[in-house]
Amino acid sequence: MEITEEPMRTVESGSAHSEFGQDAKVVEKEKAYNILPLDVSAPHPVMEIPEIKAAVELLHPRLDSSSVPGQIDGHIIHDLLDWLRQTFGFQKDNVENQKENLILLLANIQMREGRTARHGERSNHVIQSSTVIYLMKKLFQNYISWCRYLDLESNIEIPSSATRPATQQPELLYVGLYFLIWGEASNVRFMPECLCYIFHHMARDLYGIISSSFDPLFRPDGRDDAFLKLVIQPIYNVIRKEALVNKHGTVSHSMWRNYDDLNEVFWLKKCFNQLGWPMDLGADFFSAAKKMKNVTEVTH
């Protein structure tokens, strides 16, 4: 699912749609950007590619204003990931990075899978629902397997189409949410089922917001690093403390927990009662590693 450093190189010039090759040549010639110039008002070649334009347009809020308002506390909401930032307290740079990631994924999948309009129709191009479905299946494969293993219902719920416009935006909110979680996860990325646990609860909160069915339990304090401070940092601190006890691998493994040991907690259904949501920082999982004096006694 990763994007290459030069994503347009993935478009083969000999494909059925030769105009893709022309787009790639224009972007390659420019070499004037590090990320998509989403905030630049002046025209830019890469932003004129129909699939890119369609992906950018798809991220513009079009859901019911009660679920995705045009403003939050005076902040204008520009797109779905910006709304997720304001709602859950993600960092601005993370949002910008994952926004580019999502736009390029949608555009590339649309091109590669042949789900593009034929010649003369690209100017009216839209991202098809099959592209979004394909992305969701790839992205949430591990999460769905985790839910099945623990006999849980997936928390990826889409509000009834009878009460909302026919768009793929609810689906993209879940995709964007997972990418934003991953973008700030740091070393927690090495604990994939821990990420599933976090996403599972935040997806439930997300559905509660967009469907107005209940109030979310996770309430950030308004800072743009609230998710990092409230969710990722406590888990990271556990990893760090265990690594210190490790003493560069000189301590018996029975005295400390590695990534797999910590991640195994999230393969057990009892973690829901032990940790809860928002997570109980007084739970055994967050307790400090065994005292260093005990470790010293063992190693001497």
Side-chain angles (χ1 to χ4, degrees):
M1 297 303 296
E2 295 183 357
I3 297 297
T4 59
E5 292 184 2
E6 297 182 22
M8 292 309 299
R9 285 181 179 272
T10 64
V11 180
E12 297 182 6
S13 59
S15 65
H17 304 291
S18 59
E19 61 267 39
F20 294 158
Q22 297 301 318
D23 292 334
K25 291 178 181 178
V26 170
V27 175
E28 175 69 15
K29 182 179 179 181
E30 286 289 316
K31 285 189 178 297
Y33 65 95
N34 294 320
I35 63 172
L36 295 176
L38 298 172
D39 298 325
V40 177
S41 58
H44 192 285
V46 71
M47 301 305 295
E48 295 304 312
I49 298 173
E51 289 74 17
I52 297 290
K53 292 176 66 175
V56 171
E57 177 63 24
L58 188 58
L59 294 183
H60 288 168
R62 290 197 300 273
L63 294 172
D64 185 282
S65 59
S66 64
S67 58
V68 181
Q71 294 189 25
I72 295 180
D73 297 331
H75 177 89
I76 298 176
I77 302 301
H78 299 288
D79 52 60
L80 298 183
L81 271 72
D82 191 31
W83 180 81
L84 288 169
R85 173 196 173 197
Q86 296 298 319
T87 301
F88 293 108
F90 292 108
Q91 297 178 84
K92 182 178 184 296
D93 288 343
N94 178 35
V95 171
E96 294 302 314
N97 289 339
Q98 298 309 322
K99 188 185 306 180
E100 179 199 37
N101 183 28
L102 179 53
I103 290 170
L104 291 175
L105 277 172
L106 290 170
N108 284 347
I109 293 171
Q110 189 86 357
M111 293 177 183
R112 288 176 178 233
E113 298 301 314
R115 300 187 177 103
T116 54
R118 295 297 175 179
H119 297 282
E121 298 179 358
R122 292 185 71 209
S123 60
N124 298 321
H125 191 69
V126 296
I127 301 297
Q128 298 184 11
S129 59
S130 56
T131 293
V132 178
I133 292 172
Y134 175 85
L135 176 57
M136 290 186 70
K137 286 183 177 179
K138 295 286 286 185
L139 183 64
F140 295 124
Q141 184 176 6
N142 187 58
Y143 169 66
I144 297 302
S145 297
W146 178 78
C147 287
R148 290 173 179 169
Y149 180 82
L150 292 180
D151 195 25
L152 299 171
E153 291 291 333
S154 166
N155 276 345
I156 300 176
E157 298 185 67
I158 307 301
S160 172
S161 59
T163 62
R164 64 177 178 88
T167 74
Q168 294 85 51
Q169 294 201 335
E171 290 85 345
L172 289 177
L173 282 173
Y174 288 107
V175 171
L177 176 62
Y178 186 87
F179 279 145
L180 291 173
I181 292 171
W182 186 90
E184 296 189 25
S186 184
N187 294 51
V188 182
R189 293 173 187 170
F190 297 114
M191 299 164 58
E193 281 64 49
C194 177
L195 291 183
C196 288
Y197 182 87
I198 295 170
F199 174 79
H200 185 73
H201 288 89
M202 294 186 70
R204 179 180 182 274
D205 290 343
L206 173 60
Y207 180 77
I209 296 171
I210 64 177
S211 67
S212 301
S213 61
F214 57 82
D215 292 329
L217 296 176
F218 177 73
R219 295 179 179 276
D221 55 10
R223 299 174 300 171
D224 69 353
D225 63 350
F227 170 76
L228 182 69
K229 297 292 186 182
L230 298 175
V231 179
I232 296 301
Q233 185 169 324
I235 301 174
Y236 173 85
N237 286 339
V238 173
I239 298 172
R240 179 177 177 275
K241 289 174 182 177
E242 297 290 349
L244 290 175
V245 174
N246 168 10
K247 298 185 72 172
H248 303 290
T250 61
V251 175
S252 169
H253 180 68
S254 63
M255 301 299 297
W256 64 285
R257 298 173 292 177
N258 62 18
Y259 287 107
D260 288 340
D261 296 326
L262 294 169
N263 192 52
E264 282 180 5
V265 172
F266 300 94
W267 277 111
L268 304 173
K269 205 166 186 178
K270 63 182 181 181
C271 71
F272 285 82
N273 293 328
Q274 293 176 340
L275 296 179
W277 189 261
M279 292 183 295
D280 177 12
L281 300 186
D284 288 343
F285 177 85
F286 294 103
S287 64
K290 293 184 185 258
K291 294 181 180 180
M292 293 298 293
K293 66 176 183 179
N294 293 336
V295 175
T296 303
E297 293 173 359
V298 171
T299 54
H300 279 141

